[in-house]
Amino acid sequence: MNEQSKPPTSTPARPSAAGTPAATDAAAAAFGAGSGSRRARASAVVRSVARDLLDVKSDPLPKMSRPRWLAWLPHVALGYLAVFFVSITLNQVNDHYKVSGTSVLLLSILVGVSIAVAVRRPLAGYWLGLTAAALIALAIHDHVGQGQSWPWLPAGIFAFAPVLLLVALRVPPRVTVGAVAVTVACTGLAEALFKPEHSGSTTPGAVLLFAFTGLLGYALRSTRLARTKLVEQETLTEEERARRTLLEERSRIARELHDVVAHHMSVISIQAQVAPYLVENPSEELKENLAGIRANALEALTELRRVLGVLRSEHADDSADSHHPQPTLAELGGLVDNVRAAGLDVTTEIAGVRRPLSPGVELTAYRIVQEALSNCLRYAPGSRVEVGLAYGPRELHVCVANSAPTRPVPPSPGAGHGLLGMRERAGMLGGELAAGHRPSGGYEVSAVLPIDPVSPGGGSSPAPGTKKETS
């Protein structure tokens, strides 16, 4: 029989990869590496907690924020507790354990000092209180009677609780856990190794009391931190809202100034174009100068629209009113009539020679009166409002004052930043604005705006005392 006709021989089954010695060694190495890394992390956490427990830096207990007249109440209460526990500790050691002397007095005082120190340096007070408890336990060790507690005094275990609470209020939770664990471990170890015969155990009570104290401190600390973060966030939100309101008002002012300046630049351009036809036989120099004026006006108008005109595109809802003329003080009567129709008793008074002013001053004065009257409607329902304008030779005085509201003030959805816009408008003209409560009740907004009297030959407005023509 040739070799090809031989029956095939069976080959042994190949062991799986998981069953090979190499795979087993790799799994064991991986398990060892994982457990080693866990042990390293646990060791690092223990070292960190131990390092934090030994950090006796100053961390004063904060005062109460509300009410202000009780700001120091926690400090006064802790001072009273310190004196109380000094007295009761000395009394228990003398009367119950029959131990007296100067050393007992000093140890009792040390218990109170630990509470006082913990108010400013919590971990220093913690170690001081733990040391005082250990020394007291050593002093009464040979005088413990039937059923008397050891190593903690009945008062001592409660005297240490405020110290532990002060620690939990101002350290991270892991450090609080470490402080409670060290205290309970020291208590259990002392009972296991040095417990006097027939003495009562304090370990269960220490575990319950100190664990509860640690949880209470953690909860109070979390609440305080959350409240602090909330106040910070509210402050940041308010600042951001004020900044956004200011930017929006600046954008609005820029758009309005764009309308005013663009209008006057257009007028200059048209007048420069028409002027040669109003002069008989104009010279070439005059034509050239007027052409230069027109070219410069058109160039300035183009640049102005390029820089400021983009502000219109940011507010699509303004497109319907984008070509409406800006309001002036001539329209103040209509504004006052609208406010009267809304239920306010408004009176107006104008002093000085009423005359047209520059468009920027007219618009700013109108907007200030408009915003002030809106605030009266919103915050002083039923009040009497007085609107006053005083035209001076160099300044325009604007005053809007209201009496105290006669009806309940409804909640307002406004952001409360209307004064920002009014101050911004007055400041852009170099003026000033003041607002505040009146001594007799109510509120007053007053502004002083510098004005440039319009010259008769300016071409943009008539002279003082003349009527303004409208087309």
Side-chain angles (χ1 to χ4, degrees), residues 271-284:
Q271 288 178 337
Q273 183 180 12
V274 174
Y277 300 99
L278 302 179
V279 180
E280 185 177 357
N281 299 323
S283 63
E284 292 299 326

PDB file of all heavy atoms in Angstrom, residues 271-284:
ATOM      1  N   GLN A 271     -26.838 120.437  -2.068  1.00  0.00           N
ATOM      2  CA  GLN A 271     -26.621 121.877  -2.144  1.00  0.00           C
ATOM      3  C   GLN A 271     -25.361 122.206  -2.949  1.00  0.00           C
ATOM      4  O   GLN A 271     -25.324 123.186  -3.700  1.00  0.00           O
ATOM      5  CB  GLN A 271     -26.520 122.459  -0.731  1.00  0.00           C
ATOM      6  CG  GLN A 271     -27.845 122.499   0.014  1.00  0.00           C
ATOM      7  CD  GLN A 271     -27.704 123.033   1.434  1.00  0.00           C
ATOM      8  OE1 GLN A 271     -26.621 122.985   1.999  1.00  0.00           O
ATOM      9  NE2 GLN A 271     -28.800 123.517   1.995  1.00  0.00           N
ATOM     10  N   ALA A 272     -24.318 121.403  -2.769  1.00  0.00           N
ATOM     11  CA  ALA A 272     -23.099 121.638  -3.549  1.00  0.00           C
ATOM     12  C   ALA A 272     -23.341 121.401  -5.030  1.00  0.00           C
ATOM     13  O   ALA A 272     -22.736 122.055  -5.896  1.00  0.00           O
ATOM     14  CB  ALA A 272     -21.983 120.729  -3.043  1.00  0.00           C
ATOM     15  N   GLN A 273     -24.235 120.477  -5.358  1.00  0.00           N
ATOM     16  CA  GLN A 273     -24.528 120.202  -6.761  1.00  0.00           C
ATOM     17  C   GLN A 273     -25.385 121.306  -7.380  1.00  0.00           C
ATOM     18  O   GLN A 273     -25.226 121.669  -8.554  1.00  0.00           O
ATOM     19  CB  GLN A 273     -25.254 118.854  -6.877  1.00  0.00           C
ATOM     20  CG  GLN A 273     -25.544 118.434  -8.307  1.00  0.00           C
ATOM     21  CD  GLN A 273     -26.264 117.090  -8.342  1.00  0.00           C
ATOM     22  OE1 GLN A 273     -26.718 116.592  -7.333  1.00  0.00           O
ATOM     23  NE2 GLN A 273     -26.363 116.535  -9.552  1.00  0.00           N
ATOM     24  N   VAL A 274     -26.302 121.877  -6.588  1.00  0.00           N
ATOM     25  CA  VAL A 274     -27.228 122.880  -7.118  1.00  0.00           C
ATOM     26  C   VAL A 274     -26.617 124.278  -7.113  1.00  0.00           C
ATOM     27  O   VAL A 274     -26.991 125.145  -7.924  1.00  0.00           O
ATOM     28  CB  VAL A 274     -28.538 122.848  -6.292  1.00  0.00           C
ATOM     29  CG1 VAL A 274     -29.488 123.962  -6.708  1.00  0.00           C
ATOM     30  CG2 VAL A 274     -29.211 121.495  -6.451  1.00  0.00           C
ATOM     31  N   ALA A 275     -25.666 124.532  -6.231  1.00  0.00           N
ATOM     32  CA  ALA A 275     -25.130 125.889  -6.050  1.00  0.00           C
ATOM     33  C   ALA A 275     -24.636 126.529  -7.341  1.00  0.00           C
ATOM     34  O   ALA A 275     -24.888 127.728  -7.572  1.00  0.00           O
ATOM     35  CB  ALA A 275     -24.014 125.860  -4.994  1.00  0.00           C
ATOM     36  N   PRO A 276     -23.933 125.847  -8.247  1.00  0.00           N
ATOM     37  CA  PRO A 276     -23.463 126.525  -9.468  1.00  0.00           C
ATOM     38  C   PRO A 276     -24.590 127.085 -10.326  1.00  0.00           C
ATOM     39  O   PRO A 276     -24.400 128.064 -11.058  1.00  0.00           O
ATOM     40  CB  PRO A 276     -22.696 125.422 -10.218  1.00  0.00           C
ATOM     41  CG  PRO A 276     -22.287 124.473  -9.146  1.00  0.00           C
ATOM     42  CD  PRO A 276     -23.395 124.472  -8.156  1.00  0.00           C
ATOM     43  N   TYR A 277     -25.780 126.472 -10.226  1.00  0.00           N
ATOM     44  CA  TYR A 277     -26.889 126.939 -11.057  1.00  0.00           C
ATOM     45  C   TYR A 277     -27.592 128.152 -10.433  1.00  0.00           C
ATOM     46  O   TYR A 277     -28.466 128.753 -11.066  1.00  0.00           O
ATOM     47  CB  TYR A 277     -27.902 125.816 -11.270  1.00  0.00           C
ATOM     48  CG  TYR A 277     -27.298 124.611 -11.947  1.00  0.00           C
ATOM     49  CD1 TYR A 277     -26.886 123.498 -11.206  1.00  0.00           C
ATOM     50  CD2 TYR A 277     -27.119 124.588 -13.337  1.00  0.00           C
ATOM     51  CE1 TYR A 277     -26.321 122.399 -11.821  1.00  0.00           C
ATOM     52  CE2 TYR A 277     -26.555 123.480 -13.954  1.00  0.00           C
ATOM     53  CZ  TYR A 277     -26.157 122.384 -13.195  1.00  0.00           C
ATOM     54  OH  TYR A 277     -25.593 121.301 -13.812  1.00  0.00           O
ATOM     55  N   LEU A 278     -27.249 128.454  -9.195  1.00  0.00           N
ATOM     56  CA  LEU A 278     -27.857 129.608  -8.532  1.00  0.00           C
ATOM     57  C   LEU A 278     -27.026 130.871  -8.703  1.00  0.00           C
ATOM     58  O   LEU A 278     -27.442 131.947  -8.257  1.00  0.00           O
ATOM     59  CB  LEU A 278     -28.057 129.317  -7.036  1.00  0.00           C
ATOM     60  CG  LEU A 278     -28.917 128.099  -6.701  1.00  0.00           C
ATOM     61  CD1 LEU A 278     -29.008 127.912  -5.198  1.00  0.00           C
ATOM     62  CD2 LEU A 278     -30.317 128.254  -7.298  1.00  0.00           C
ATOM     63  N   VAL A 279     -25.876 130.734  -9.313  1.00  0.00           N
ATOM     64  CA  VAL A 279     -24.968 131.868  -9.502  1.00  0.00           C
ATOM     65  C   VAL A 279     -24.825 132.123 -11.000  1.00  0.00           C
ATOM     66  O   VAL A 279     -24.606 131.181 -11.779  1.00  0.00           O
ATOM     67  CB  VAL A 279     -23.597 131.596  -8.862  1.00  0.00           C
ATOM     68  CG1 VAL A 279     -22.661 132.776  -9.072  1.00  0.00           C
ATOM     69  CG2 VAL A 279     -23.760 131.295  -7.379  1.00  0.00           C
ATOM     70  N   GLU A 280     -24.940 133.377 -11.377  1.00  0.00           N
ATOM     71  CA  GLU A 280     -24.798 133.711 -12.795  1.00  0.00           C
ATOM     72  C   GLU A 280     -23.324 133.738 -13.176  1.00  0.00           C
ATOM     73  O   GLU A 280     -22.505 134.361 -12.509  1.00  0.00           O
ATOM     74  CB  GLU A 280     -25.425 135.096 -13.059  1.00  0.00           C
ATOM     75  CG  GLU A 280     -25.441 135.471 -14.535  1.00  0.00           C
ATOM     76  CD  GLU A 280     -26.117 136.808 -14.771  1.00  0.00           C
ATOM     77  OE1 GLU A 280     -26.622 137.390 -13.781  1.00  0.00           O
ATOM     78  OE2 GLU A 280     -26.125 137.260 -15.926  1.00  0.00           O
ATOM     79  N   ASN A 281     -23.025 133.008 -14.222  1.00  0.00           N
ATOM     80  CA  ASN A 281     -21.644 132.896 -14.713  1.00  0.00           C
ATOM     81  C   ASN A 281     -20.657 132.525 -13.591  1.00  0.00           C
ATOM     82  O   ASN A 281     -19.757 133.275 -13.235  1.00  0.00           O
ATOM     83  CB  ASN A 281     -21.194 134.215 -15.379  1.00  0.00           C
ATOM     84  CG  ASN A 281     -22.055 134.576 -16.570  1.00  0.00           C
ATOM     85  OD1 ASN A 281     -22.494 133.697 -17.337  1.00  0.00           O
ATOM     86  ND2 ASN A 281     -22.319 135.870 -16.747  1.00  0.00           N
ATOM     87  N   PRO A 282     -20.827 131.357 -12.990  1.00  0.00           N
ATOM     88  CA  PRO A 282     -19.878 130.949 -11.931  1.00  0.00           C
ATOM     89  C   PRO A 282     -18.500 130.697 -12.515  1.00  0.00           C
ATOM     90  O   PRO A 282     -18.354 130.233 -13.653  1.00  0.00           O
ATOM     91  CB  PRO A 282     -20.507 129.671 -11.382  1.00  0.00           C
ATOM     92  CG  PRO A 282     -21.311 129.134 -12.512  1.00  0.00           C
ATOM     93  CD  PRO A 282     -21.831 130.323 -13.274  1.00  0.00           C
ATOM     94  N   SER A 283     -17.504 131.037 -11.761  1.00  0.00           N
ATOM     95  CA  SER A 283     -16.129 130.822 -12.223  1.00  0.00           C
ATOM     96  C   SER A 283     -15.782 129.340 -12.149  1.00  0.00           C
ATOM     97  O   SER A 283     -16.434 128.549 -11.462  1.00  0.00           O
ATOM     98  CB  SER A 283     -15.165 131.628 -11.356  1.00  0.00           C
ATOM     99  OG  SER A 283     -15.212 131.180 -10.009  1.00  0.00           O
ATOM    100  N   GLU A 284     -14.706 129.005 -12.887  1.00  0.00           N
ATOM    101  CA  GLU A 284     -14.265 127.607 -12.891  1.00  0.00           C
ATOM    102  C   GLU A 284     -13.777 127.183 -11.506  1.00  0.00           C
ATOM    103  O   GLU A 284     -13.948 126.029 -11.096  1.00  0.00           O
ATOM    104  CB  GLU A 284     -13.168 127.420 -13.941  1.00  0.00           C
ATOM    105  CG  GLU A 284     -13.642 127.572 -15.368  1.00  0.00           C
ATOM    106  CD  GLU A 284     -14.691 126.548 -15.724  1.00  0.00           C
ATOM    107  OE1 GLU A 284     -14.620 125.396 -15.206  1.00  0.00           O
ATOM    108  OE2 GLU A 284     -15.606 126.874 -16.506  1.00  0.00           O
TER     109      GLU A 284
END
